[in-house]
Amino acid sequence: MGVGEVKPKTSGGLRLRGRLLAIVIAVTTVAGLIGAVVGSGQADARINGTGGVDEFWINSCGMPTGNALGPGNGNGGVKVRSWHRPGNQRTVIMLDGMRAQYDFSGWEINTNIQELVKQGINVVEPIGGPASFYTNWNAASNFNGQQAPYKWECVINDRLAPALRARHFGTRGGKFAIMGVSSGGNAALTLAAHRRDLYYAAGSLSGYDFLSAPGMHTMLRLAMLDVAPAPWNVDAMWGPPWDPRWYQNDPSMLLNQMHGLNLFVGSGNGLFGQYNALPNVFNDLIQGSTLEVLAFTQAKAFEGLAALNGINIKSHYGVGTHAWGYWQDMVWSAKAQGFFR
């Protein structure tokens, strides 16, 4: 079978392990569908105070700007906030989650990862894109009246990357790191696999890294019906479930394109930890725990399939739910493990 692009082996043991892995993920995915109709983490309504922020705008590739439904604007319109210091030789692009806003990235609202700029790593946060999966959509979402389709792959690869080079953001051999949270996590892996000329490292934090697992299409359909401006039609993104674009955007199906990438995956285990407190306990239990268990199984599946393909992955697993505090810790763990080198 072609799951995860695993090449046939002479030993039947590896094939059996692959089948068992798929069964485990299928069971866990179906169990997770009940609570998976939410976005990414709680917000605490603060803006991190890291100084030296630079805000600029890049071309939108014709997709809506300033909001998710408006007309396309090919002349500009995607806001980017960045933290950049001369002499920094690394730059990471940080993608938001399912409920991304158009004022600030969830990373800036809820975390301190902008402090990476003080340790040699420029931080770049494109703004907007709720329910977008940071991908090029086949069509505008007809359920909520979107006027032009998302074109995030074009924006990030063809507009943002050249803009960063023009602004002299440090790179590793001309390449960037990219990370994302939740739906932005699997997007980061996919973007890096598609454009090896642009990225040397990719990280997925509580992302959905095995989208071909049974039930995942249904899970995403339900989740996107609930994201403002709701409801989103998932079929407008990559087509119906049998469309090849679903496999072209599944990180587990792109492992044969990831050899040599510096990869990182992280997830909590769904249990309450230090960042779960009132008044978010109800949402954390009903929504965040279920989502994180699903993300945990997806990360483990991706890591296992990568191992079968001879790819080593840095990882961080611990106590926690689908929430920003844990994602902040994962970023610092990735740095400690040499992800940005």
Side-chain angles (χ1 to χ4, degrees), residues 54-58 78-80 82 124 160 163-164 167 169:
D54 176 33
E55 184 175 297
F56 60 93
W57 299 77
I58 56 175
V78 174
K79 181 167 68 173
V80 179
S82 66
V124 179
L160 179 56
L164 296 178
R167 287 170 171 77
F169 278 63

Side-chain angles (χ1 to χ4, degrees), residues 2-322:
V3 177
E5 296 294 331
V6 179
K7 297 178 181 179
K9 307 288 184 179
T10 56
S11 170
L14 291 181
R15 291 194 296 270
L16 178 59
R17 285 165 56 192
R19 294 190 185 101
L20 290 175
L21 182 61
I23 291 170
V24 170
I25 298 305
V27 172
T28 310
T29 298
V30 172
L33 295 181
I34 297 174
V37 291
V38 297
S40 58
Q42 82 273 12
D44 63 7
R46 70 173 173 84
I47 297 295
N48 183 265
T50 306
V53 61
D54 176 33
E55 184 175 297
F56 60 93
W57 299 77
I58 56 175
N59 185 281
S60 70
C61 296
M63 74 178 188
T65 58
N67 66 79
L69 301 181
N73 178 359
N75 297 320
V78 174
K79 181 167 68 173
V80 179
R81 287 174 64 81
S82 66
W83 291 258
H84 169 230
R85 285 189 174 184
N88 284 359
Q89 297 302 308
R90 297 290 186 271
T91 297
V92 60
I93 298 170
M94 302 296 298
L95 303 181
D96 211 332
M98 186 80 81
R99 298 182 187 274
Q101 303 172 190
Y102 280 91
D103 49 0
F104 301 97
S105 169
W107 287 109
E108 186 176 1
I109 296 172
N110 300 293
T111 80
N112 67 1
I113 62 98
Q114 292 73 221
E115 296 290 310
L116 286 168
V117 73
K118 300 176 181 178
Q119 301 190 32
I121 304 161
N122 302 317
V123 178
V124 179
E125 297 172 2
I127 310 300
S132 70
F133 280 76
Y134 296 97
T135 187
N136 289 345
W137 283 43
N138 287 355
S141 173
N142 57 322
F143 285 3
N144 56 2
Q146 189 181 36
Q147 297 183 48
Y150 278 134
K151 295 294 179 184
W152 274 102
E153 189 165 357
C154 173
V155 168
I156 294 170
N157 291 342
D158 300 334
R159 303 293 187 265
L160 179 56
L164 296 178
R165 287 177 176 150
R167 287 170 171 77
H168 306 293
F169 278 63
T171 64
R172 175 183 165 182
K175 297 182 180 182
F176 305 96
I178 186 167
M179 300 185 84
V181 60
S182 193
S183 60
N186 45 278
L189 296 178
T190 298
L191 287 165
H194 287 172
R195 290 296 301 273
R196 295 296 304 276
D197 60 313
L198 292 180
Y199 304 104
Y200 75 92
S204 175
L205 314 180
S206 300
Y208 305 112
D209 307 329
F210 190 11
L211 291 175
S212 299
M216 284 302 295
H217 185 276
T218 299
M219 186 278 285
L220 296 188
R221 181 181 298 280
L222 294 174
M224 291 167 69
L225 291 174
D226 183 59
V227 178
W232 291 90
N233 180 5
V234 72
D235 291 336
M237 184 166 66
W238 295 323
W242 53 87
D243 192 296
R245 288 206 69 207
W246 279 90
Y247 299 97
Q248 294 165 3
N249 288 278
D250 180 353
S252 289
M253 292 291 172
L254 300 174
L255 281 165
N256 64 335
Q257 301 176 39
M258 296 186 187
H259 289 275
L261 274 174
N262 200 359
L263 296 173
F264 179 90
V265 295
S267 175
N269 59 7
L271 300 178
F272 276 24
Q274 62 175 318
Y275 298 111
N276 299 105
L278 292 173
N280 297 308
V281 167
F282 179 78
N283 284 340
D284 287 355
L285 177 62
I286 301 301
Q287 301 173 342
S289 291
T290 305
L291 274 175
E292 200 62 9
V293 170
L294 178 60
F296 178 85
T297 61
Q298 290 268 301
K300 285 292 188 180
F302 179 78
E303 193 172 12
L305 291 168
L308 291 174
N309 277 268
I311 300 174
N312 294 321
I313 295 181
K314 297 176 176 64
S315 63
H316 176 98
Y317 299 103
V319 173
T321 61
H322 211 66

